[in-house]
Amino acid sequence: MTYVRAIDPLPLESPDHTKLHEFYAKLADGRLTTTACAGCRRTAWPPRGFCPDCGSDRFEWVDLPREGTIHAFTIQEAGLPAGFAAPRVFAIVSVGSHRIFSIVSGADAGQVAVGQRVTFQPLRVADGPKESPRWLVGFTLSEGKA
Amino acid sequence: MMRNVALVGAGVTKFGVRKASYRDLIWEAGKACFDSVPSIRPRDVDGLVVGSVMPERTAFQSHISSLAAEALGIKPSTLSARTEHMCASGTVGIRYAYAFIAAGLADVVMVLGVEKLNQPSGDEAILNMGTGVDREWEAAFGLTAPPCFALAAQRHMAAYGTTEEQLALVGVKNHTHASKNPNAHFQKGATVDQVLCSRMISTPLRLFMCSPITDGAAAVVLAADDRARDLTDRPVWIRGTGQALDGFQLTSLHEDYAHWPALGRAASAAYRMAGITARDVDVAEVHDCFAIAELIAYEELGFCAKGEGGRFVETGRSDYGGDVVVNPRGGLIGCGHPLGATGVAQAAEIWSQLRSEAGARQTPDAAIGLTHNNSGMGEHVVMIYGREPA
Ligand SMILES: [Zn+2]
């Protein structure tokens, strides 16, 4: 499968590869952040390097709440792409005023429900080029009842 | 002054897991199309548009339009282009050809859609489908199309009481229609029990409610006004077209995933241009990549009220003898979904329906046909065809 791995679906996260590299560095430090436009202060999800509202390409990083609620979800049981195992809980999570697409890890299928509270948890994924660690935004079910 | 434009020829390959190369499929669709219109030879075609999504990954091939032109012996003198718009690439190609011809920049244009999706390794074929969602924010999590449309199905069931049985009925109808289409991927039909007992793919969507990964190609030829009448006795006229987008990423779409406003806008634009309403449509090829998409398409296209999609299929209103025959060729669920080929194959079906050449699949007295092709829940293209020009 080296052939598939030559171009995988995971982002290249380093400063050599993306203007958003600080997002990934903060993620590795356990912080969930996004961009706030330096021109009009609007925040966005996902982070963006150009503001369609004011035209600025300058931004700062702001922290998002670490807890959110499940807005919608589905559990994929078959037909996942190479490199991804079933079952997989895909969810749209409401975090503050934003919706974040991600997966909910470590949950039994029966426990997941719309409105359930989830907690941000950085998700370590396959290393990038030159064994650089890579991270994505992940969630787990919050402790206690919804 | 825009010129009238018509389909003057159409042909499709057998859809399925094909023992064929990318080029074989182009040859096959080209031959089927030229065979349908003996008055047109490759040298008569002045433009070519090829809809194809991911040959770079599946066939190590880009530079597609020139490859197809050479394979078919076409020497474009007005237009040569490839269109890529994920699952709607074929219809986007037809719109380009339409616009060039209507504007007087081309006279006779072939639109060919082609995809060779199946690979020696099946999970790699699925991985390739991840290129159609956002790599950094979606595909990186293993997302492909089924969970996206599953979110819409979950929401539709919660908001409107749509049932698994109603979703299954879309699978039954389209598999049954496909059993009358020798070019369809599947030809055995299906019962409600078979659909409801098929493997769960992404809750609540089961295997027989999903379109498969399919190889195939299709081609149509479009021509202007008088040329169209010279080339065939029964041209099928383009009466209207509309395209609208709500967003690309899931988190940019309407927060109610069962609500697809872009489809409503694309349909309104097409109806307005054609001077018709939803009620005038006799036969429709809609984008049933998943059963839920067909139910929502009924609603957004105006065939029924919002939330009534499940009842619409349950009461037979989208089948022969109902209000409008939806997906007579078997849809994407029955025919398979070779991305770039799908929109062109939908047009080819409307071509044969409006010429009363659809045989066992014929919609009685079909005068107005519609195609709907999407590339995600927030991106839609609608075409309206008629036996008569506007
Ligand atoms: Zn701004």
Side-chain angles (χ1 to χ4, degrees):
Chain A
M1 295 303 266
T2 7
Y3 163 59
V4 171
R5 288 281 162 234
I7 300 181
D8 68 16
L10 300 170
L12 300 175
E13 302 180 349
S14 81
D16 290 345
H17 294 106
T18 172
K19 184 176 179 177
L20 303 178
H21 59 93
E22 284 179 70
F23 170 81
Y24 294 105
K26 293 177 196 306
L27 201 54
D29 287 340
R31 284 174 62 194
L32 175 59
T33 59
T34 194
T35 47
C37 173
C40 69
R41 305 306 305 164
R42 282 185 177 84
T43 59
W45 184 268
R48 54 187 311 151
F50 168 73
C51 176
D53 292 304
C54 76
S56 171
D57 64 352
R58 291 175 303 110
F59 51 84
E60 290 154 19
W61 294 99
V62 293
D63 286 281
L64 289 173
R66 300 180 66 86
E67 241 196 2
T69 56
I70 294 180
H71 172 78
F73 76 98
T74 179
I75 302 169
Q76 188 166 8
E77 298 182 7
L80 280 138
F84 298 89
R88 201 161 177 85
V89 182
F90 292 104
I92 306 289
V93 178
S94 297
V95 173
S97 60
H98 298 292
R99 276 179 286 157
I100 297 182
F101 170 78
S102 182
I103 59 166
V104 179
S105 304
D108 286 340
Q111 293 179 288
V112 187
V114 170
Q116 186 109 14
R117 297 198 68 76
V118 290
T119 303
F120 161 66
Q121 178 85 57
L123 185 69
R124 177 81 186 264
V125 293
D127 287 352
K130 301 176 192 161
E131 276 111 53
S132 55
R134 288 193 285 190
W135 300 86
L136 298 175
V137 174
F139 290 91
T140 57
L141 291 182
S142 298
E143 299 291 324
K145 285 301 284 178
Chain B
M1 175 67 185
M2 297 241 293
R3 302 196 291 178
N4 281 323
V5 179
L7 298 177
V8 295
V12 298
T13 70
K14 164 75 180 156
F15 280 18
V17 181
R18 292 294 314 276
K19 293 174 180 162
S21 72
Y22 190 73
R23 194 188 333 254
D24 291 343
L25 295 168
I26 292 169
W27 279 330
E28 225 179 286
K31 174 170 170 49
C33 186
F34 285 119
D35 284 355
S36 79
V37 52
S39 54
I40 305 176
R41 297 299 87 199
R43 66 176 171 275
D44 303 317
V45 175
D46 54 75
L48 176 66
V49 179
V50 181
S52 198
V53 175
M54 53 181 70
E56 287 85 351
R57 275 195 83 90
T58 61
F60 200 83
Q61 188 69 64
S62 54
H63 209 167
I64 297 311
S65 188
S66 303
L67 178 147
E70 194 155 276
L72 297 178
I74 293 169
K75 297 232 185 286
S77 56
T78 57
L79 168 63
S80 174
R82 168 185 174 188
T83 53
E84 192 283 296
H85 208 290
M86 197 51 190
C87 310
S89 300
T91 307
V92 169
I94 290 173
R95 291 182 102 238
Y96 275 30
Y98 166 75
F100 264 73
I101 297 171
L105 297 173
D107 289 319
V108 180
V109 179
M110 174 176 275
V111 181
L112 186 145
V114 54
E115 218 76 51
K116 171 67 191 171
L117 293 178
N118 284 283
Q119 299 292 302
S121 145
D123 60 354
E124 184 184 346
I126 296 172
L127 180 65
N128 292 338
M129 302 298 280
T131 63
V133 296
D134 192 293
R135 176 194 188 182
E136 190 167 19
W137 305 106
E138 298 179 332
F141 294 90
L143 183 69
T144 54
C148 302
F149 287 84
L151 296 176
Q154 298 265 14
R155 174 65 191 162
H156 208 273
M157 294 168 91
Y160 306 114
T162 301
T163 63
E164 282 185 59
E165 286 74 15
Q166 289 169 336
L167 289 170
L169 285 170
V170 175
V172 171
K173 174 175 71 67
N174 294 350
H175 275 280
T176 304
H177 290 179
S179 70
K180 297 183 183 127
N181 179 357
N183 288 321
H185 190 143
F186 298 121
Q187 262 142 3
K188 293 181 179 163
T191 64
V192 172
D193 280 351
Q194 277 176 311
V195 179
L196 289 176
C197 293
S198 64
R199 189 168 56 153
M200 182 60 78
I201 300 299
S202 197
T203 56
L205 300 176
R206 294 178 181 276
L207 184 66
F208 278 43
M209 302 172 186
C210 304
S211 54
I213 290 187
T214 299
D215 309 324
V220 294
V221 177
L222 283 69
D225 279 327
D226 298 352
R227 282 303 296 281
R229 290 180 223 272
D230 290 345
L231 292 167
T232 176
D233 56 342
R234 280 168 296 159
V236 168
W237 299 93
I238 293 179
R239 294 278 304 272
T241 175
Q243 180 175 24
L245 278 73
D246 280 327
F248 170 51
Q249 295 169 2
L250 276 174
T251 53
S252 308
L253 305 184
H254 196 286
E255 65 174 23
D256 176 351
Y257 290 103
H259 188 47
W260 298 356
L263 175 49
R265 295 199 303 277
S268 297
Y271 290 144
R272 195 165 50 242
M273 183 172 167
I276 65 159
T277 68
R279 218 181 284 226
D280 298 315
V281 178
D282 300 304
V283 55
E285 284 285 317
V286 311
H287 196 97
D288 61 323
C289 47
F290 301 92
I292 185 60
E294 181 163 323
L295 298 188
I296 296 176
Y298 299 156
E299 300 167 2
E300 302 288 355
L301 289 169
F303 296 158
C304 65
K306 190 74 217 163
E308 295 288 314
R311 286 286 298 156
F312 195 73
V313 69
E314 195 172 59
T315 50
R317 292 173 65 188
S318 54
D319 210 338
Y320 295 93
D323 299 15
V324 50
V325 179
V326 178
N327 285 329
R329 78 187 171 104
L332 285 61
I333 288 176
C335 288
H337 182 25
L339 311 180
T342 286
V344 184
Q346 291 177 323
E349 180 69 13
I350 296 299
W351 150 268
S352 42
Q353 292 281 344
L354 297 197
R355 288 165 56 94
S356 299
E357 291 174 346
R361 306 194 303 278
Q362 184 62 44
T363 302
D365 303 319
I368 299 282
L370 175 152
T371 67
H372 157 236
N373 205 188
N374 75 41
S375 29
M377 298 191 288
E379 307 163 62
H380 301 270
V381 199
V382 175
M383 302 288 300
I384 311 278
Y385 297 91
R387 265 195 320 225
E388 305 299 331

